[in-house]
Amino acid sequence: NMVTNNQLGNKTKQGFYKKEKTAEGTQILYWDYEAGEYKPSQKPKFESIKFAKMAKSTGEQLKAVVNGQDKAAEFAWRSLRDTLLYSYKRIPEIAEDVINVDNAMKWGFNWELGPFEMFDAIGIDDFVQRAKNDQVDVPEGLDQVPAFYKVENGVRSYFDLKSKEYKKVPVKEDEIELSLIKSSKGVVESCDNASIVDIGDGVMCLEFHSPQNSISDDMLDMVFTCVQRAEKEGAGIVLGNQGERFSVGANLFMLAVAISENKFDELEASVKKFQDASMALKYAHVPVVAAPYQMALGGGCEFCLHSDAINAHVETYMGLVEMGVGVLPAGGGTKELCVRAAQMAERFGLDVQPLIFKYFENIAMAKVSMGADEAFGLGYMNQADAVTMDIGSLLGDAKQKVLCLAKNYRPRKPAVVKAPGRSVAASVKSQLWNMKEGSFITEYEYEMGGVVADVITGGDVDAGTLVTEQYILDIERAAFVQLCRNQKTVDRINHMLKTNKPLRN
């Protein structure tokens, strides 16, 4: 019937699915073969998924899903049950130990946990009992395994199915695993969302561990504490962690709450604290090396920009994406790009305008690098920075970079630069006007772009006027609050929170 009705897929713009444009945007419809008509596709909602999202670790999320009482939980349990039992039966047929199976699935198929790590997350005893209740054959010996992995005194061991004994998991010399160090009392100081971890040789790792590693108030406090302690007791700081992503930036929900309650004075104070934390990293008396991976967005990118050096994983997606929610980078990001453009122009005798245009475009178009190599082209990383291929070596490589810098380290001095000034800002705004008139950007995007142009050119001053970093930070902060007072920014923030997609209003 579908062929007869010319429902042939993309070539006829209808098949099992069909797209329709509505006032709210593009809507996806699916073909209900029983009713014989297209119906709006709806994302199913399950309680098990809701509870899983509240969990901090992947293991806790997994356990929350399979222990749920809804259809999604049952589907997840049956799929994982058979997959994990199959994995157990294949040793030693395809691998000598559980480590190689887990690594194959994580490295080759991008699983966050390997099958045997999943066994431990669910609980082997619970798994075996539930499988038996399902009248599924449980392989011999599985119920005799206490756990496939254990950690004692900072050493991870695995259960060898052949000898029935625990053996040390082999690790490379330069590999640093924060969870192991923390388990053996390597934590210098900690709060809910961040920790200072001693990773040896006087190097302290400032670790974020909030949901999505979004930046919170107590995390900023820990930045100041880490800098102070490293200056007194250590050789330097690695800004890194080992979660799913480096940092998605500021907590958007908390920003929305502050705006809805008209707490603009408190909001400005929070932004000032963020800026001060960035500057504390930039002007610490010890070297600071950022070790980003996966997402390093917004505030996460700003922290990287203020570090002495960046040692990024090859899969690093870095960018200042604040314009997508109607604000500008205000943790020092806009200021830092202004300073970099001015310093580069001064050093090499260049015209500052093309440099400003390039950095302005990064912010206005919310450009994100599609990997660490592209971050060089965007100007977020420079030739003194490095890229690590093996993520297991990322923190170790960053630590070595800290130690190299520490040998002859000279703290940076607060910058005083020649502001590009209002004439360059006017050139940027003229380009924005052309884009608006050509319907490439919206009216509000034109307005936001003008605000960014004023900040990134050093404010309403003549070209060449000497300005301090703090001066630019002040106008950056004021511009951020100004945009937050606009209802169109509120709409953008709420839309992002609701749909996880940017609104172009």
Side-chain angles (χ1 to χ4, degrees):
N1 287 340
M2 291 178 71
V3 171
T4 302
N5 295 335
N6 205 34
Q7 295 171 266
L8 305 180
N10 289 342
K11 67 180 74 175
T12 58
K13 298 187 178 180
Q14 60 178 4
F16 290 107
Y17 293 92
K18 180 181 179 181
K19 291 182 180 180
E20 274 189 0
K21 289 187 177 181
T22 67
E24 297 179 354
T26 302
Q27 185 179 40
I28 297 177
L29 310 175
Y30 76 95
W31 177 250
D32 186 331
Y33 60 89
E34 293 178 336
E37 61 180 347
Y38 284 102
K39 294 182 178 179
S41 61
Q42 295 180 337
K43 195 173 184 179
K45 295 182 180 179
F46 298 105
E47 284 296 310
S48 60
I49 305 299
K50 178 182 175 182
F51 284 115
K53 288 181 178 179
M54 298 179 186
K56 285 190 174 182
S57 69
T58 304
E60 291 172 354
Q61 291 173 342
L62 180 69
K63 191 170 184 178
V65 170
V66 298
N67 288 340
Q69 302 298 318
D70 52 38
K71 187 186 293 186
E74 182 65 20
F75 174 77
W77 160 249
R78 291 190 187 189
S79 300
L80 280 177
R81 177 196 67 197
D82 296 345
T83 300
L84 301 190
L85 289 174
Y86 174 80
S87 302
Y88 181 84
K89 293 174 184 176
R90 298 283 73 81
I91 292 179
E93 179 186 341
I94 63 170
E96 291 292 329
D97 51 53
V98 301
I99 299 172
N100 284 295
V101 174
D102 281 347
N103 285 342
M105 299 312 295
K106 289 189 291 184
W107 298 347
F109 292 88
N110 204 30
W111 286 21
E112 291 180 31
L113 296 175
F116 297 97
E117 292 172 320
M118 289 184 180
F119 265 121
D120 285 352
I122 296 170
I124 296 176
D125 290 341
D126 292 342
F127 180 95
V128 169
Q129 187 59 50
R130 189 170 174 183
K132 287 180 178 178
N133 292 343
D134 292 346
Q135 297 184 335
V136 173
D137 290 336
V138 176
E140 183 181 348
L142 179 58
D143 56 355
Q144 302 299 314
V145 180
F148 284 106
Y149 295 93
K150 69 175 184 178
V151 176
E152 289 181 346
N153 300 319
V155 177
R156 174 177 277 119
S157 303
Y158 71 96
F159 190 80
D160 180 54
L161 293 175
K162 187 176 181 180
S163 66
K164 310 297 183 187
E165 296 178 350
Y166 282 99
K167 295 183 178 180
K168 182 181 176 182
V169 174
V171 293
K172 293 183 292 185
E173 267 186 52
D174 61 348
E175 195 168 325
I176 293 174
E177 191 164 343
L178 294 177
S179 61
L180 297 182
I181 296 174
K182 291 164 73 174
S183 71
S184 59
K185 301 179 180 178
V187 180
V188 177
E189 206 161 326
S190 184
C191 65
D192 288 343
N193 294 311
S195 297
I196 303 170
V197 184
D198 183 354
I199 56 176
D201 300 314
V203 180
M204 296 182 183
C205 179
L206 178 56
E207 177 200 19
F208 300 158
H209 42 72
S210 64
Q212 303 289 317
N213 283 334
S214 61
I215 297 168
S216 58
D217 189 69
D218 62 343
M219 196 181 286
L220 298 177
D221 289 332
M222 198 57 70
V223 170
F224 298 120
T225 302
C226 186
V227 170
Q228 291 168 3
R229 295 200 63 156
E231 288 177 340
K232 292 179 181 179
E233 308 164 23
I237 298 169
V238 167
L239 192 61
N241 57 73
Q242 293 176 321
E244 292 181 26
R245 50 194 60 84
F246 179 74
S247 176
V248 296
N251 189 316
L252 197 58
F253 176 75
M254 296 305 296
L255 174 60
V257 170
I259 294 173
S260 67
E261 296 177 354
N262 291 317
K263 295 182 177 179
F264 292 105
D265 289 342
E266 293 181 21
L267 180 60
E268 184 172 1
S270 296
V271 176
K272 175 69 163 62
K273 188 174 183 179
F274 198 150
Q275 292 177 336
D276 290 345
S278 296
M279 295 295 279
L281 292 171
K282 183 173 183 178
Y283 294 112
H285 291 180
V286 291
V288 177
V289 175
Y293 61 95
Q294 286 298 313
M295 292 182 184
L297 305 176
C301 177
E302 288 176 297
F303 276 159
C304 293
L305 293 177
H306 286 83
S307 301
D308 287 286
I310 297 174
N311 192 107
H313 182 237
V314 66
E315 295 289 344
T316 297
Y317 313 110
M318 184 182 293
L320 300 169
V321 296
E322 287 85 350
M323 287 285 278
V325 291
V327 293
L328 82 167
T334 310
K335 175 274 303 177
E336 187 63 21
L337 295 187
C338 172
V339 169
R340 289 188 178 193
Q343 288 180 331
M344 192 179 299
E346 180 76 11
R347 182 179 179 187
F348 296 107
L350 303 173
D351 179 5
V352 74
Q353 183 165 305
L355 300 173
I356 288 292
F357 269 53
K358 176 182 176 62
Y359 286 138
F360 170 82
E361 193 175 71
N362 285 359
I363 296 174
M365 299 182 67
K367 286 189 175 182
V368 176
S369 67
M370 293 295 102
D373 288 339
E374 196 171 301
F376 287 96
L378 293 176
Y380 296 137
M381 295 175 65
N382 58 51
Q383 295 306 309
D385 297 328
V387 177
T388 294
M389 293 293 292
D390 177 9
I391 196 162
S393 302
L394 181 62
L395 291 183
D397 289 349
K399 174 186 171 181
Q400 291 304 314
K401 201 165 189 65
V402 167
L403 293 174
C404 288
L405 291 171
K407 289 181 180 179
N408 297 293
Y409 187 70
R410 296 178 64 186
R412 292 181 280 183
K413 296 180 180 179
V416 177
V417 298
K418 293 179 180 179
R422 64 174 74 89
S423 57
V424 176
S427 296
V428 173
K429 291 176 183 178
S430 67
Q431 293 296 323
L432 287 170
W433 186 85
N434 288 334
M435 293 178 72
K436 177 176 70 74
E437 292 301 303
S439 300
F440 293 103
I441 61 175
T442 67
E443 187 76 36
Y444 191 51
E445 286 169 342
Y446 169 72
E447 182 181 336
M448 288 189 297
V451 173
V452 175
D454 288 335
V455 177
I456 203 170
T457 54
D460 186 16
V461 295
D462 294 332
T465 301
L466 293 178
V467 294
T468 64
E469 286 186 86
Q470 189 58 55
Y471 171 79
I472 307 173
L473 286 172
D474 291 342
I475 60 174
E476 175 188 88
R477 186 172 65 256
F480 181 89
V481 177
Q482 172 193 335
L483 290 172
C484 286
R485 290 179 180 274
N486 194 305
Q487 183 58 43
K488 290 185 178 180
T489 285
V490 175
D491 294 340
R492 284 193 169 214
I493 292 172
N494 291 336
H495 189 270
M496 179 63 76
L497 288 170
K498 184 178 179 180
T499 68
N500 202 32
K501 294 179 180 178
L503 171 68
R504 295 194 66 189
N505 56 350

